[in-house]
Amino acid sequence: MDDEALTETRAGERLAYHLLKEAYQDLAAVLLSANAKAAESLFYAVEKRTADALRSVVADRTEGHASTRIARTVGGQLNDLFEGAHGRTGIPTPRRVA
Protein backbone atom coordinates (compact mmCIF):
# COMPACT_ATOMS: atom_id res chain seq x y z
CA MET A 1 0.00 0.00 0.00
CA ASP A 2 1.49 3.32 -1.00
CA ASP A 3 1.58 6.41 1.23
CA GLU A 4 -1.41 8.05 -0.46
CA ALA A 5 -3.59 4.96 -0.03
CA LEU A 6 -2.48 4.62 3.59
CA THR A 7 -3.29 8.28 4.25
CA GLU A 8 -6.74 7.83 2.71
CA THR A 9 -7.32 4.68 4.75
CA ARG A 10 -6.40 6.46 7.98
CA ALA A 11 -8.59 9.44 7.07
CA GLY A 12 -11.47 7.04 6.46
CA GLU A 13 -10.88 5.37 9.82
CA ARG A 14 -10.86 8.74 11.60
CA LEU A 15 -14.09 9.76 9.89
CA ALA A 16 -15.75 6.44 10.71
CA TYR A 17 -14.71 6.78 14.37
CA HIS A 18 -16.01 10.34 14.51
CA LEU A 19 -19.37 9.37 13.02
CA LEU A 20 -19.75 6.35 15.31
CA LYS A 21 -18.77 8.47 18.31
CA GLU A 22 -21.45 11.04 17.47
CA ALA A 23 -24.06 8.33 16.94
CA TYR A 24 -23.12 6.59 20.21
CA GLN A 25 -23.41 9.85 22.15
CA ASP A 26 -26.82 10.56 20.63
CA LEU A 27 -28.02 7.04 21.35
CA ALA A 28 -26.74 7.20 24.93
CA ALA A 29 -28.58 10.47 25.52
CA VAL A 30 -31.85 9.03 24.21
CA LEU A 31 -31.46 5.84 26.25
CA LEU A 32 -30.69 7.75 29.43
CA SER A 33 -33.74 9.97 29.00
CA ALA A 34 -36.04 7.07 28.12
CA ASN A 35 -34.97 4.57 30.78
CA ALA A 36 -31.91 5.40 32.89
CA LYS A 37 -31.79 2.02 34.67
CA ALA A 38 -31.89 0.03 31.41
CA ALA A 39 -29.37 2.42 29.86
CA GLU A 40 -26.93 1.90 32.74
CA SER A 41 -27.24 -1.85 32.35
CA LEU A 42 -26.56 -1.61 28.63
CA PHE A 43 -23.63 0.78 29.15
CA TYR A 44 -22.08 -1.63 31.65
CA ALA A 45 -22.38 -4.50 29.15
CA VAL A 46 -20.75 -2.41 26.40
CA GLU A 47 -17.96 -1.30 28.72
CA LYS A 48 -17.32 -4.85 29.94
CA ARG A 49 -17.25 -6.25 26.42
CA THR A 50 -14.83 -3.49 25.40
CA ALA A 51 -12.52 -4.14 28.36
CA ASP A 52 -12.60 -7.89 27.75
CA ALA A 53 -11.74 -7.42 24.07
CA LEU A 54 -8.84 -5.10 24.88
CA ARG A 55 -7.52 -7.49 27.54
CA SER A 56 -7.66 -10.25 24.94
CA VAL A 57 -5.63 -8.15 22.48
CA VAL A 58 -2.95 -7.75 25.16
CA ALA A 59 -3.01 -11.36 26.35
CA ASP A 60 -3.04 -12.89 22.86
CA ARG A 61 -0.68 -10.25 21.41
CA THR A 62 -2.95 -10.07 18.37
CA GLU A 63 -1.31 -6.84 17.23
CA GLY A 64 2.22 -8.10 17.75
CA HIS A 65 4.72 -6.23 19.89
CA ALA A 66 2.52 -3.12 19.86
CA SER A 67 -0.53 -4.90 21.33
CA THR A 68 -0.33 -3.32 24.78
CA ARG A 69 0.30 0.18 23.44
CA ILE A 70 -2.54 -0.15 20.94
CA ALA A 71 -4.95 -1.51 23.57
CA ARG A 72 -4.09 1.33 25.95
CA THR A 73 -4.57 3.95 23.24
CA VAL A 74 -7.89 2.50 22.12
CA GLY A 75 -8.97 2.01 25.74
CA GLY A 76 -8.22 5.64 26.51
CA GLN A 77 -10.15 6.87 23.50
CA LEU A 78 -13.14 4.70 24.31
CA ASN A 79 -13.04 5.63 27.97
CA ASP A 80 -13.20 9.30 26.93
CA LEU A 81 -16.16 8.45 24.70
CA PHE A 82 -17.93 6.56 27.49
CA GLU A 83 -17.28 9.37 29.96
CA GLY A 84 -18.72 11.93 27.56
CA ALA A 85 -21.73 9.82 26.61
CA HIS A 86 -22.52 8.32 30.01
CA GLY A 87 -21.35 11.13 32.27
CA ARG A 88 -18.82 8.87 33.97
CA THR A 89 -15.74 6.87 33.12
CA GLY A 90 -16.13 3.46 31.55
CA ILE A 91 -14.53 0.62 33.47
CA PRO A 92 -13.43 1.42 37.03
CA THR A 93 -9.66 1.99 37.29
CA PRO A 94 -8.73 -1.40 38.83
CA ARG A 95 -10.45 -3.19 35.95
CA ARG A 96 -8.93 -1.18 33.11
CA VAL A 97 -6.68 -2.73 30.53
CA ALA A 98 -2.98 -3.28 31.21
Side-chain angles (χ1 to χ4, degrees):
M1 184 178 292
D2 64 9
D3 288 342
E4 186 175 334
L6 186 57
T7 299
E8 289 177 9
T9 298
R10 288 184 179 154
E13 290 168 350
R14 285 191 308 273
L15 178 58
Y17 174 77
H18 174 75
L19 294 172
L20 286 171
K21 178 181 174 184
E22 294 294 315
Y24 186 89
Q25 289 173 331
D26 292 344
L27 180 60
V30 169
L31 287 172
L32 281 168
S33 67
N35 187 333
K37 186 174 180 178
E40 289 296 328
S41 179
L42 180 60
F43 296 155
Y44 177 79
V46 169
E47 293 162 4
K48 183 175 182 332
R49 181 178 296 154
T50 299
D52 290 347
L54 293 174
R55 282 190 204 99
S56 179
V57 167
V58 172
D60 298 342
R61 315 253 333 130
T62 57
E63 299 300 325
H65 69 279
S67 293
T68 299
R69 186 174 61 252
I70 291 168
R72 283 183 176 161
T73 299
V74 170
Q77 291 171 336
L78 291 175
N79 193 65
D80 291 346
L81 169 61
F82 295 153
E83 185 174 11
H86 308 166
R88 59 179 170 66
T89 57
I91 299 298
T93 302
R95 297 189 51 160
R96 287 194 187 150
V97 176

